[in-house]
């Protein structure tokens, strides 16, 4: 009897195993093969910016003596800013200018080597200038370069556009006083001119004029503060307001 019960138990266990195996096979057969999703592979290497990409993500255009004129032609100065400019001449004498630009007008106050202060306003095709606290001013026709040449007395890098390409000696990117700049050197006969133009602002950051092996003029500028303080007045010695930043041009 005991042996019979043992045989029945073995048969029952075999049936249970068979049912379990069949059930598993049936589920796989009728439901299809399960999809296994693997986690994406993680690379230890970090992406590196392309050499043609700047830190800001903008495309960095290659600058060479052959392409620098085209690159400079695309630059534009900000419409409103303030900066300080220092120009040093042979022998160590220097002038320091404070320059405000807004709405097509430029105001410059320049401390000259002799101690006098020259004031100038440029806008709407006219240059106005006077000295110290004089209430008398002078006028002359003005163009787009007058504010630089006559006001702040600095070289204009836009002159590079008119240069024969064969006179461009060097061009490329350089860091100048912490600013990323386009650098270009122009040589004609015994005189060389070197310019550093800020990539970020399009303004001349530094310049040198060299005769022979001597630097006869060097120019440096502070970073531009943009825009000028609202309410900055561009006025003549008699109080006539030619322009006011942040407002409508007036003449009182």
């Amino acid at each position: 009897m005991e042996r019979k019960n043992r045989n029945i138990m073995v048969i029952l266990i075999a049936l249970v195993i068979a049912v379990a195996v069949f059930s598993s096979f049936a589920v796989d057969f009728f439901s299809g093969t399960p999809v296994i999703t693997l986690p994406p592979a993680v690379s230890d290497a970090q992406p590196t910016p392309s050499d043609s990409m700047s830190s800001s993500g903008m495309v960095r255009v290659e600058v060479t003596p052959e392409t620098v004129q085209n690159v400079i032609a695309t630059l534009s100065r900000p419409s409103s800013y303030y900066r300080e400019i220092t120009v040093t001449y042979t022998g160590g004498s220097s002038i320091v200018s404070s320059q405000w630009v807004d709405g097509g007008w430029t105001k410059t106050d320049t401390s000259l080597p002799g101690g006098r202060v020259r004031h100038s306003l440029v806008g709407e095709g006219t240059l106005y200038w006077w000295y110290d606290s004089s209430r008398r001013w002078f006028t002359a026709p003005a163009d787009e370069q007058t504010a630089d040449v006559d006001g702040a007395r600095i070289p204009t890098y836009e002159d590079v556009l008119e240069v024969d390409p064969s006179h461009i000696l060097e061009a490329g990117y350089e860091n100048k006083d912490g600013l990323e700049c386009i650098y270009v050197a122009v040589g004609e006969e015994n005189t060389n001119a070197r310019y550093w133009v800020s990539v970020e602002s399009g303004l001349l950051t530094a310049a040198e004029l060299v005769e022979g092996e001597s630097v006869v003029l060097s120019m440096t500028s502070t970073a531009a503060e943009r825009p000028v303080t609202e309410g900055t007045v561009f006025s003549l010695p008699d109080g006539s307001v030619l322009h006011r930043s942040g407002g409508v041009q007036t003449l009182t």
Side-chain angles (χ1 to χ4, degrees):
M1 185 68 178
E2 183 177 352
R3 183 175 180 181
K4 183 179 179 181
N5 290 337
R6 190 184 307 119
N7 291 336
I8 293 174
M9 183 62 68
V10 171
I11 293 172
L12 290 174
I13 292 173
L15 288 173
V16 169
I17 293 173
V19 170
V21 171
F22 176 79
S23 298
S24 176
F25 174 78
V27 169
D28 287 344
F29 181 81
F30 290 108
S31 63
T33 304
V35 178
I36 301 175
T37 304
L38 296 177
V42 178
S43 173
D44 292 334
Q46 296 297 321
T48 56
S50 169
D51 290 339
S52 62
M53 222 35 119
S54 69
S55 58
S56 63
M58 299 178 65
V59 175
R60 184 187 181 98
V61 179
E62 183 181 8
V63 174
T64 66
E66 293 73 30
T67 65
V68 68
Q69 288 177 310
N70 291 333
V71 174
I72 287 179
T74 66
L75 298 178
S76 60
R77 305 187 186 196
S79 60
S80 180
Y81 62 89
Y82 167 80
R83 63 174 176 164
E84 294 182 1
I85 300 164
T86 301
V87 179
T88 303
Y89 300 95
T90 303
S93 62
S94 62
I95 63 173
V96 179
S97 299
S98 297
Q99 186 181 65
W100 296 261
V101 175
D102 184 79
W105 285 86
T106 299
K107 177 173 73 168
T108 307
D109 294 339
T110 301
S111 298
L112 302 173
R116 301 188 71 184
V117 177
R118 186 180 190 277
H119 309 277
S120 68
L121 292 172
V122 179
E124 296 188 341
T126 303
L127 162 67
Y128 306 82
W129 80 94
W130 63 97
Y131 293 90
D132 301 320
S133 57
S134 174
R135 295 185 62 82
R136 180 185 179 188
W137 67 88
F138 305 90
T139 63
D143 58 24
E144 294 181 354
Q145 298 183 356
T146 300
D148 288 337
V149 176
D150 190 90
R153 313 253 179 120
I154 64 176
T156 57
Y157 67 83
E158 288 88 350
D159 288 341
V160 175
L161 301 178
E162 307 299 326
V163 169
D164 186 325
S166 65
H167 293 157
I168 298 177
L169 307 178
E170 298 177 280
Y173 289 104
E174 280 193 12
N175 187 287
K176 186 70 170 179
D177 300 326
L179 296 175
E180 186 176 18
C181 297
I182 294 172
Y183 166 70
V184 55
V186 178
E188 295 186 50
E189 297 181 353
N190 197 41
T191 302
N192 291 343
R194 304 167 184 160
Y195 304 93
W196 288 265
V197 183
S198 170
V199 173
E200 189 272 332
S201 68
L203 293 171
L204 184 67
T205 295
E208 292 179 349
L209 296 182
V210 182
E211 292 184 356
E213 297 183 358
S214 301
V215 177
V216 297
L217 179 151
S218 65
M219 169 267 178
T220 58
S221 169
T222 61
E225 301 175 15
R226 297 181 281 172
V228 297
T229 303
E230 185 173 354
T232 298
V233 175
F234 297 65
S235 61
L236 296 172
D238 67 350
S240 300
V241 178
L242 304 182
H243 177 74
R244 190 188 306 272
S245 65
V248 179
Q249 177 183 325
T250 59
L251 178 60
T252 59

